[in-house]
Amino acid sequence: MSGLGDRLTDGAYALGWSTVKKLPEPVAARLGRTIADLAWKRRGKGVQRLESNYARVVPGATPERLAELSRAGMRSYLRYWMESFRLPAWSAERVRTGFDPKDVHNLTEALASGRGVILALPHLGNWDLAGAWVTTKLETPFTTVAERLKPESLYDRFVAYREGLGMEVLPHSGGTAFGTLARRLRDGGLVCLVSDRDLSASGVEVEFFGEATRMPAGPALLAQQTGALLLPVTLWYDDSPVMQGRVHPPIEVPETGTRAEKASVMTQALADAFATGIADHPEDWHMLQRLWLKDLDPQKAPENPDGSRNAGDAKQDPEKGTS
């Protein structure tokens, strides 16, 4: 990204956090829907990729059905952004009542065990709101990881935003995050990781909606190394202002196998849990990037009109930076 592009991107996010949070909630919601519909009508790369991903989730869907899903998906995506821009201005009561997770006993019982807890989420719904609910309703701080973005000022904005919601944020790069996360877990702490997209290209290969992709090995490896409980979480929206969610039962560490083999089994179980939530609420899965290996492999990607091939989406995606 050029220097001018960096400044424009940073300025756009700054404007969102400074302006949108001052709007009345109904006005912000209408603004989000308007922006979403405009983006959907433009049929840019993000919308096309969203439809391509939904085609895996809803096999046999007609082009008309995929178009409906992508429109709903863009509205859900912009709802995430409007909420995120406004979250710093929400009252504690608004945060506590803004999320209604099912089976939350799986989390509270895990926290009470003192073993440390890892919550792993896909890019469903609003994971920042879920995190704010944990720090506010459950009064439990946690540690997470964020991709180091460019420009640095944009990364700093995201860190300040999430720290303001009660999260400890570690940079994804640098090689020290894993050790810090392990220490937090050994101390009985909580770690939250968005884990349906591998940012390192060295993740665990899993089957996801019938095709191969890679997901981060970190959640499974942390659970093995620290004895922490690994709980998948799925989120979704309904027609109300309250986000819904479910805390799934813990994924057990296999009794036999090498460290890598155990990580593979556990990450596949995580992918399966994610798939159940995404299949039930595909429009709330905000995956506007290439994910499956078939799409990421330049030899298997479709040809462009000039005969070249797309190797994958290279642009950074700041709101998807936690893994």
Side-chain angles (χ1 to χ4, degrees):
M1 186 182 293
S2 67
L4 176 60
D6 286 347
R7 291 193 295 273
L8 290 174
T9 299
D10 184 44
Y13 285 103
L15 182 65
W17 271 304
S18 64
T19 303
V20 174
K21 71 179 182 181
K22 298 176 183 178
L23 298 175
E25 194 160 342
V27 175
R30 287 197 298 272
L31 176 62
R33 288 194 297 271
T34 299
I35 295 171
D37 288 348
L38 288 172
W40 178 76
K41 289 177 182 177
R42 287 182 59 191
R43 299 285 302 167
K45 289 182 179 179
V47 173
Q48 294 179 49
R49 175 52 48 191
L50 192 63
E51 286 188 11
S52 177
N53 290 339
Y54 286 161
R56 264 66 173 245
V57 176
V58 188
T62 64
E64 293 76 16
R65 172 59 176 150
L66 290 175
E68 291 174 0
L69 277 175
S70 67
R71 184 179 188 184
M74 291 303 295
R75 287 188 169 191
S76 176
Y77 184 48
L78 264 295
R79 176 173 172 174
Y80 160 81
W81 273 115
M82 293 299 108
E83 287 179 347
S84 295
F85 286 141
R86 290 177 49 77
L87 263 177
W90 280 17
S91 67
E93 181 61 20
R94 178 67 180 90
V95 173
R96 285 192 290 266
T97 59
F99 180 38
D100 183 25
K102 311 300 184 288
D103 299 326
V104 72
H105 67 89
N106 286 321
L107 173 56
T108 55
E109 291 170 4
L111 290 170
S113 73
R115 290 176 54 184
V117 179
I118 306 159
L119 294 180
L121 305 86
H123 288 89
L124 270 172
N126 188 337
W127 44 98
D128 285 328
L129 172 55
W133 184 89
V134 168
T135 61
T136 305
K137 175 75 171 181
L138 300 185
E139 298 182 342
T140 302
F142 64 86
T143 304
T144 189
V145 177
E147 181 182 6
R148 187 172 288 282
L149 306 170
K150 293 181 180 180
E152 190 73 16
S153 56
L154 179 57
Y155 172 76
D156 291 341
R157 288 188 192 280
F158 271 89
V159 170
Y161 158 63
R162 289 182 170 131
E163 287 180 343
L165 299 178
M167 311 175 193
E168 178 188 22
V169 183
L170 307 175
H172 183 271
S173 59
T176 61
F178 188 92
T180 302
L181 295 174
R183 287 193 295 273
R184 300 290 183 270
L185 293 168
R186 290 193 185 98
D187 290 339
L190 176 64
V191 165
C192 298
L193 301 170
V194 180
S195 306
D196 58 342
R197 181 168 173 246
D198 179 44
L199 294 174
S200 67
S202 61
V204 175
E205 186 170 320
V206 296
E207 182 177 294
F208 195 51
F209 291 103
E211 292 190 35
T213 186
R214 281 189 290 266
M215 292 188 180
L221 294 175
L222 283 166
Q224 288 185 60
Q225 186 165 314
T226 67
L229 293 164
L230 174 57
L231 280 66
V233 177
T234 52
L235 310 171
W236 66 92
Y237 290 125
D238 58 17
D239 293 331
S240 78
V242 179
M243 185 175 69
Q244 307 298 311
R246 172 163 286 106
V247 182
H248 297 254
I251 292 174
E252 300 293 336
V253 178
E255 295 183 0
T256 61
T258 65
R259 187 168 181 258
E261 288 169 344
K262 292 177 180 179
S264 178
V265 171
M266 295 174 72
T267 306
Q268 182 63 63
L270 200 60
D272 292 343
F274 292 167
T276 62
I278 294 168
D280 288 342
H281 306 279
E283 67 279 5
D284 293 321
W285 189 41
H286 307 149
M287 187 56 67
L288 282 73
Q289 301 79 29
R290 298 176 191 269
L291 182 74
W292 280 272
L293 300 187
K294 187 179 293 185
D295 293 336
L296 293 167
D297 185 343
Q299 297 305 313
K300 297 179 180 178
E303 286 191 359
N304 294 318
D306 63 0
S308 65
R309 294 180 186 271
N310 294 318
D313 297 309
K315 66 180 180 180
Q316 64 179 3
D317 192 14
E319 75 279 9
K320 310 303 186 192
T322 315
S323 65

